[in-house]
């Protein structure tokens, strides 16, 4: 922990508050600190595709620097390698590099959520991705012992925390959270069905249905984005 004592105290106080309401997150002391995001994922053992994507888009550096300067913290949904393997071939390669950046950033929420604070999140929840139509969002639904996240295209359970200690929470998800802003025009089955031949296909740009566009215009006036760094 090479952070300033100020940040440490802040983190300690926050953790203490959260700890009272969340027995689940208190049980996972991790030796690797939030200063090493890829280290946390690496230790998880099954997040190599996500690590590669973080590196190739350079979002790893952006998030790392954000963590060092953040008062709200970050929550990251980390899809497993299996989740990436289940994508239709060409899904990632069919995206422009800017859309790949947005795919990654749509797995990042600009504040720290423990599993219990997810229950108080109000939908839709802003992610760090944004496009011409505004900020990409996800919806979080939870019961007392289960949290789900949905993009409208894909729904996944929020599984074990790889790390959960303010300012950083990293949760395992078993699906890549394809944003409706990028994949919404296609039915979920088309986006998920495996195809035998790895055909190179270009996604049709501007192929956003009317309903989809309408749903995305309903954005909350959330001012949590104050710590987002310019790209
Ligand atoms: C992050 O953790 C990995 C181990 O998973 C290690 O190889 C790497 O050197 C660490 N990086 C930093 C900056 O501590
Ligand atoms: C979460 O999703 C699963 C299917 O993936 C579903 O069975 C379950 O009811 C959902 N739970 C909540 C709280 O939405
Ligand atoms: C997300 O939640 C909002 C508010 O409850 C709702 O209007 C919207 O339809 C939901 N979207 C999805 C994809 O579930």
């Amino acid at each position: 922990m090479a952070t300033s004592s100020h940040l440490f105290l802040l983190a300690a106080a926050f953790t203490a508050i959260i700890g009272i309401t969340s027995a689940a997150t208190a049980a996972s002391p991790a030796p690797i600190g939030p200063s090493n995001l890829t280290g946390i994922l690496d230790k998880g053992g099954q997040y190599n595709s996500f690590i590669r994507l973080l590196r190739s888009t350079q979002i790893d550096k952006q998030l790392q620097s954000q963590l060092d300067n953040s008062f709200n913290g970050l929550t990251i949904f980390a899809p497993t390698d299996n989740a990436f393997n289940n994508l239709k071939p060409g899904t990632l390669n069919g995206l422009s590099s800017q859309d790949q950046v947005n795919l990654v950033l749509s797995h990042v929420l600009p504040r720290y959520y423990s599993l219990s604070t997810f229950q108080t999140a109000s939908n839709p929840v802003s992610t760090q991705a944004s496009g011409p139509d505004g900020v990409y969002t996800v919806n979080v639904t939870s019961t007392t012992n289960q949290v789900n996240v949905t993009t409208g295209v894909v729904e996944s359970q929020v599984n074990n925390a790889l790390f959960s200690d303010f300012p950083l929470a990293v949760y395992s998800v078993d699906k890549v959270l394809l944003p409706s802003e990028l994949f919404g025009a296609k039915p979920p089955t088309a986006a998920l069905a495996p195809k035998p031949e790895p055909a190179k296909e270009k996604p049709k740009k501007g192929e956003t249905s009317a309903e989809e566009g309408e749903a995305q215009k309903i954005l909350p006036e959330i001012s949590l984005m104050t710590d987002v760094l310019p790209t």
Side-chain angles (χ1 to χ4, degrees), residues 141-143 146-148 155-157 175:
T141 52
S142 57
T143 58
Q146 197 195 317
V147 178
N148 282 10
E155 178 170 34
S156 175
Q157 289 186 25
K175 286 179 190 146

Side-chain angles (χ1 to χ4, degrees), residues 123-124 139 150-152:
N123 288 324
N139 279 7
T150 178
T151 65

Side-chain angles (χ1 to χ4, degrees), residues 8-231:
F8 178 78
L9 286 174
L10 187 68
F14 197 96
T15 309
I17 293 163
I18 295 303
I20 293 165
T21 52
S22 168
T25 53
S28 55
I32 301 175
S35 56
N36 191 346
L37 173 59
T38 48
I40 290 167
L41 292 169
D42 195 31
K43 188 163 152 272
Q46 50 173 342
Y47 304 93
N48 299 308
S49 303
F50 192 52
I51 292 172
R52 270 199 302 276
L53 200 53
L54 282 165
R55 288 203 174 120
S56 69
T57 53
Q58 306 212 331
I59 298 299
D60 56 342
K61 291 183 186 133
Q62 179 184 324
L63 295 181
Q64 205 67 70
S65 125
Q66 218 178 316
L67 276 173
D68 294 339
N69 299 291
S70 173
F71 286 100
N72 292 324
L74 291 177
T75 298
I76 299 174
F77 296 118
T80 58
D81 287 337
N82 210 23
F84 279 97
N85 290 340
N86 286 335
L87 286 177
K88 190 171 115 184
T91 301
L92 292 185
N93 292 340
L95 296 174
S96 68
S97 42
Q98 185 55 45
D99 285 347
Q100 287 190 8
V101 164
N102 274 329
L103 175 69
V104 177
L105 289 179
S106 69
H107 288 74
V108 181
L109 310 181
R111 56 164 286 192
Y112 170 83
Y113 287 97
S114 69
L115 278 177
S116 57
T117 51
F118 267 132
Q119 308 208 1
T120 61
S122 75
N123 288 324
V125 176
S126 293
T127 72
Q128 292 217 151
S130 63
D133 293 329
V135 174
Y136 292 18
T137 61
V138 293
N139 279 7
V140 174
T141 52
S142 57
T143 58
T144 40
N145 46 19
Q146 197 195 317
V147 178
N148 282 10
V149 59
T150 178
T151 65
V153 175
V154 171
E155 178 170 34
S156 175
Q157 289 186 25
V158 175
N159 296 322
N160 58 304
L162 302 177
F163 190 87
S164 181
D165 196 2
F166 186 85
L168 177 65
V170 184
Y171 299 104
S172 182
V173 288
D174 48 28
K175 286 179 190 146
V176 178
L177 303 177
L178 301 176
S180 60
E181 292 82 351
L182 298 177
F183 296 91
K186 299 168 191 168
T189 45
L192 294 172
K195 259 193 185 175
E197 81 283 15
K200 277 187 187 174
E201 38 188 279
K202 291 171 187 167
K204 290 170 199 163
K205 293 283 174 184
E207 189 188 56
T208 312
S209 72
E211 310 95 277
E212 197 57 49
E214 223 167 298
Q216 294 314 319
K217 271 172 211 154
I218 309 167
L219 290 170
E221 292 180 26
I222 287 179
S223 54
L224 295 171
M225 305 292 289
T226 46
D227 57 348
V228 174
L229 297 179
T231 44

